[in-house]
Amino acid sequence: MKIFKITLLAIIFLLTSCEEVIWDKGIETSNPKDNLDYLWKECNEKYSYFELKNIDWDAIKAEYSAKVYDGMTEDSLFTVLGEMLTELKDDHTNLISNFNISRFGTHHLGQDNFDWRIIVDNYLPRDFYISGPFSHSFIANNEIGYVRFPSFTGEIDKKNIDFILEKYKNTKGLIIDLRENGGGQVTDIFKLLSRFVEHETLLYYSRIKNGPSHNDFSEASPAYVEPYDGIRYKNKVAVLIDRGTYSAGSFTALATKALSNVVLIGDTTGGGLGLPNGGQLPNGWTYRFSITQALTLDKSPEYENGVPPDIRVAFDWNNLKTDEIIERALLELQ
Amino acid sequence: MKKNIVIVMLLVSFGAISQSKASKKELKKNRPTYIDIAIGKEYSRFVDFATSPLIYSGAQNYISISYNKYDKKKEKEYGFSYSFGDYISDFNEHESISTVKTLSLYYSQLYQLNKFSTKKLNIKIGGLFDATGNFRINESLENNGVGLEIIPTLFGSIKASKYFISRHGKDKELSFRLNIGLINSTFRNGYVYSGQSFLLNKPILESVFDDYQFKVFSGFRMSSALSYTMPLKNKNKIQFSYLWGAYKTGGNFDTFEMANHSIKFTLSFNLNNH
């Protein structure tokens, strides 16, 4: 047994040595410059909207490299790296630590256009329905259905949407309120829109980064939606949007441009048409940024800066009894 | 690349032709056959440079089941192993956990090298095909939180066995097997790791391997097994093993690297009473 033990130890030692030779070393470090360089390089090679947003990423590196130094606090380093990411003007771009999360805040680009309390107090009955992620009721003398959809939680299912469309099937029109909808599960988009198309419809294109240059992308791939084999709504639909409509909300707004029975009302969306990735820095913080581009039907990425409404309307905060965007939608649907 | 294939074929055929055809049928008929059931503990670590430069490590549970037909002249084995557990990266007061499930399917054949084998020492050479798949979940990596890669490898193998006579007159066996990847390949994520299929309303199955790429003759892999086998009176066997394996993917994209150290206990159930 002695020989066995010696042999075992010798082999473990030998193989562990082999392992060190085969492996690249991990690069765990709290060094500020190493972390800035790592984050800058990841973005430089994989972020998808440098050209559209006309961002000089080299100049940004020079600017922010000058702000880091050995011995700076974690909080200070976070501020520098977070501000560097904010230069991408993209709310799909965040730096995440256990003490802070950096963000851009696209909703600050325009005025606030939504107050749920005003809608509840002035448009909805007290006992409005809540079906899954949707809050809804008849409004305007029961002629219009109003559906509030605040977040793409992945909870849209056959039952809740069947219930809603069955309930409002005889209305003149339907309002789907996506204001301040920050996004979520993309799969909800297609479950929702499949109820408003009568034939397979091309909604938009998407392409993904496939190389380190700023313009290295895959071919544009089409996104189609097929009509749901069941209850569908065939009258006119008004989708309400604002700067807080982001990510999956913006994708929905972009997609409705291809649907002739849908009109977009409100303010330009916040954008967020790039799929965010996820990764970790050498110091353990995590980050994310956009790695795809959604393209319009004429293959332009410009709606990353916001999907414009078909009818632009702003909220009047001097009148807290009226939602001007809903009022404009009622005008459009009646 | 072609050189690697030639080496594998030479290793297998060189061993194979060393047996005379006349005795082959008889040997095959009398070759002991076993079902091996093993459990063990594994200590592993990995780094996936596509999502993080940090090393994740942890202890996992290990099980394997295989069909094994072997004697001193030849051995054939096929089966699977499965390990599961959490890997942790804890640096700078930031802890991330990656839950990993690993499934390996393997097939191996070894032939005795007559020239170097004696009554007490047996040398075998041959090949091993092992396809290992990792399924990883790390929620801190946001949309890159799910990792799935398959590492199929054709190894060239050499095994040395030393026999000791027990009190019952049965051979105890101390063996060491070394496998070196000759045809290394990977099936792994593309350039930016995530795919865009679910943005395009594609079916879920199509999304799983979205933007994946299969690369052959890419990367490096090695493994080994040090085993001590003791026969029982009823012709079954028990075995204690130390397994080691390490690999890294190749290609132009960020690499994935993993290394495992396992202690394994195996019960071998004899199926044909030989």
Side-chain angles (χ1 to χ4, degrees):
Chain A
M1 282 309 279
K2 195 177 174 183
I3 295 172
F4 177 78
K5 285 176 186 171
I6 293 169
T7 312
L8 178 65
L9 288 173
I11 287 172
I12 291 172
F13 176 75
L14 182 71
L15 295 179
T16 306
S17 305
C18 274
E19 198 171 298
E20 297 304 321
V21 173
I22 295 168
W23 267 44
D24 294 318
K25 283 192 166 43
I27 47 172
E28 292 173 337
T29 176
S30 298
N31 181 279
K33 186 175 184 313
D34 290 343
N35 280 282
L36 183 139
D37 288 348
Y38 184 94
L39 181 59
W40 182 88
K41 183 172 180 288
E42 283 292 307
C43 290
N44 187 48
E45 296 181 349
K46 294 173 183 169
Y47 182 66
S48 55
Y49 282 115
F50 284 118
E51 295 208 346
L52 176 74
K53 298 184 178 183
N54 198 24
I55 295 165
D56 184 346
W57 196 233
D58 289 319
I60 285 170
K61 184 183 185 186
E63 180 186 344
Y64 285 89
S65 292
K67 296 180 180 179
V68 297
Y69 52 91
D70 289 341
M72 69 192 299
T73 64
E74 294 271 295
D75 192 12
S76 299
L77 177 62
F78 187 92
T79 301
V80 173
L81 299 190
E83 285 177 356
M84 185 174 80
L85 287 186
T86 302
E87 298 278 4
L88 298 175
K89 300 177 178 62
D90 184 338
D91 265 337
H92 274 160
T93 299
N94 305 97
L95 182 64
I96 303 151
S97 74
N98 54 17
F99 58 86
N100 200 1
I101 298 174
S102 75
R103 67 272 178 198
F104 174 56
T106 49
H107 57 285
H108 295 306
L109 295 175
Q111 73 159 62
D112 188 5
N113 283 298
F114 178 77
D115 189 325
W116 178 235
R117 182 64 191 262
I118 290 174
I119 297 168
V120 170
D121 286 353
N122 299 288
Y123 292 87
L124 303 182
R126 276 290 181 87
D127 57 349
F128 62 83
Y129 276 72
I130 300 173
S131 308
F134 304 106
S135 301
H136 57 96
S137 180
F138 287 104
I139 59 171
N141 299 320
N142 292 346
E143 289 185 334
I144 303 292
Y146 172 85
V147 181
R148 169 69 182 150
F149 185 34
S151 178
F152 288 79
T153 55
E155 293 172 298
I156 294 183
D157 62 29
K158 181 180 175 300
K159 280 192 175 176
N160 56 42
I161 204 160
D162 272 359
F163 179 83
I164 290 169
L165 296 185
E166 180 65 26
K167 188 175 171 70
Y168 305 113
K169 66 181 178 187
N170 293 322
T171 53
K172 287 184 178 175
L174 199 61
I175 294 173
I176 299 175
D177 194 343
L178 295 183
R179 287 175 291 173
E180 296 193 357
N181 181 324
Q185 297 285 330
V186 180
T187 48
D188 274 353
I189 298 170
F190 303 102
K191 287 180 186 169
L192 183 67
L193 295 183
S194 66
R195 302 306 188 108
F196 301 104
V197 296
E198 292 302 310
H199 52 83
E200 187 184 49
T201 305
L202 173 62
L203 300 176
Y204 56 81
Y205 294 90
S206 181
R207 60 181 187 168
I208 190 165
K209 282 281 289 172
N210 64 0
S213 296
H214 289 183
N215 208 26
D216 283 344
F217 285 98
S218 66
E219 289 295 313
S221 301
Y224 287 95
V225 65
E226 290 185 2
Y228 179 73
D229 185 16
I231 301 170
R232 298 192 297 277
Y233 190 81
K234 296 175 184 175
N235 294 334
K236 201 155 189 185
V237 178
V239 173
L240 312 188
I241 53 173
D242 67 357
R243 279 290 183 182
T245 307
Y246 196 74
S247 191
S250 274
F251 268 101
T252 307
L254 167 64
T256 61
K257 295 282 186 184
L259 310 185
S260 58
N261 58 331
V262 179
V263 59
L264 282 176
I265 300 175
D267 193 7
T268 304
T269 72
L273 295 176
L275 174 74
N277 64 353
Q280 198 164 25
L281 293 183
N283 67 358
W285 298 347
T286 53
Y287 61 83
R288 65 174 196 159
F289 54 78
S290 302
I291 53 165
T292 64
Q293 284 187 345
L295 309 173
T296 58
L297 294 180
D298 56 358
K299 298 190 178 176
S300 163
E302 65 182 318
Y303 284 175
E304 165 62 10
N305 292 323
V307 180
D310 300 316
I311 301 170
R312 189 174 295 277
V313 188
F315 208 96
D316 179 3
W317 290 97
N318 293 314
N319 177 4
L320 298 182
K321 290 190 178 299
T322 303
D323 183 321
E324 284 72 18
I325 296 122
I326 288 180
E327 293 295 331
R328 185 64 184 83
L330 293 176
L331 199 63
E332 192 67 21
L333 296 176
Q334 283 180 325
Chain B
M1 296 173 191
K2 284 180 182 173
K3 193 177 160 189
N4 288 337
I5 299 171
V6 171
I7 292 169
V8 176
M9 293 177 74
L10 278 175
L11 281 169
V12 175
S13 56
F14 184 55
I17 58 174
S18 64
Q19 298 181 44
S20 71
K21 279 185 182 173
S23 63
K24 260 188 177 177
K25 279 188 180 173
E26 190 64 23
L27 278 172
K28 190 176 179 182
K29 192 179 167 189
N30 294 325
R31 191 165 288 138
T33 305
Y34 299 90
I35 288 284
D36 290 352
I37 298 174
I39 56 169
K41 286 299 271 188
E42 195 171 84
Y43 174 78
S44 308
R45 56 186 187 141
F46 75 83
V47 58
D48 182 358
F49 284 103
T51 55
S52 170
L54 305 184
I55 292 172
Y56 285 73
S57 59
Q60 293 77 48
N61 296 307
Y62 173 96
I63 59 166
S64 74
I65 298 175
S66 64
Y67 177 86
N68 199 335
K69 198 172 173 80
Y70 86 99
D71 58 17
K72 289 182 179 177
K73 290 289 180 189
K74 180 185 173 185
E75 65 181 80
K76 182 170 85 173
E77 182 180 13
Y78 54 87
F80 74 91
S81 67
Y82 176 68
S83 63
F84 54 97
D86 288 344
Y87 292 66
I88 296 167
S89 162
D90 188 2
F91 181 72
N92 193 30
E93 297 180 350
H94 284 72
E95 183 182 272
S96 300
I97 297 174
S98 182
T99 301
V100 182
K101 295 171 171 57
T102 299
L103 178 68
S104 289
L105 304 175
Y106 53 89
Y107 176 83
S108 163
Q109 259 183 238
L110 296 174
Y111 299 91
Q112 185 183 49
L113 265 182
N114 290 334
K115 196 173 177 184
F116 300 102
S117 299
T118 65
K119 197 177 175 186
K120 290 281 176 108
L121 180 70
N122 196 13
I123 307 289
K124 289 175 182 164
I125 57 171
L128 162 70
F129 175 76
D130 183 314
T132 297
N134 298 314
F135 178 66
R136 300 178 282 122
I137 294 178
N138 182 345
E139 288 179 358
S140 67
L141 297 176
E142 306 271 336
N143 280 345
N144 283 350
V146 176
L148 183 60
E149 57 269 329
I150 300 172
I151 319 285
T153 310
L154 183 61
F155 293 93
S157 303
I158 183 164
K159 180 180 177 183
S161 300
K162 175 86 176 160
Y163 300 100
F164 307 91
I165 305 299
S166 72
R167 278 180 296 178
H168 310 293
K170 303 264 186 181
D171 281 351
K172 291 179 180 176
E173 179 183 347
L174 177 65
S175 66
F176 176 69
R177 174 172 179 159
L178 182 66
N179 308 301
I180 296 180
L182 300 174
I183 302 178
N184 299 284
S185 52
T186 54
F187 185 56
R188 183 161 150 73
N189 318 59
Y191 180 74
V192 281
Y193 204 78
S194 290
Q196 61 172 354
S197 286
F198 62 94
L199 290 178
L200 303 172
N201 199 19
K202 300 279 188 188
I204 290 174
L205 278 180
E206 208 173 307
S207 305
V208 172
F209 294 115
D210 187 20
D211 203 31
Y212 267 58
Q213 306 198 5
F214 185 64
K215 292 190 183 302
V216 187
F217 301 110
S218 172
F220 184 75
R221 189 173 182 185
M222 263 178 91
S223 66
S224 71
L226 179 69
S227 304
Y228 184 65
T229 308
M230 291 179 288
L232 303 175
K233 284 180 185 174
N234 56 8
K235 298 194 175 174
N236 295 335
K237 293 182 177 183
I238 56 173
Q239 185 183 67
F240 298 93
S241 307
Y242 164 70
L243 311 178
W244 170 83
Y247 55 84
K248 74 183 277 188
T249 61
N252 302 323
F253 300 154
D254 298 312
T255 59
F256 176 82
E257 302 174 2
M258 193 169 211
N260 314 300
H261 299 262
S262 314
I263 297 292
K264 184 176 81 162
F265 171 71
T266 307
L267 279 172
S268 298
F269 297 98
N270 188 287
L271 299 180
N272 58 357
N273 210 27
H274 288 299

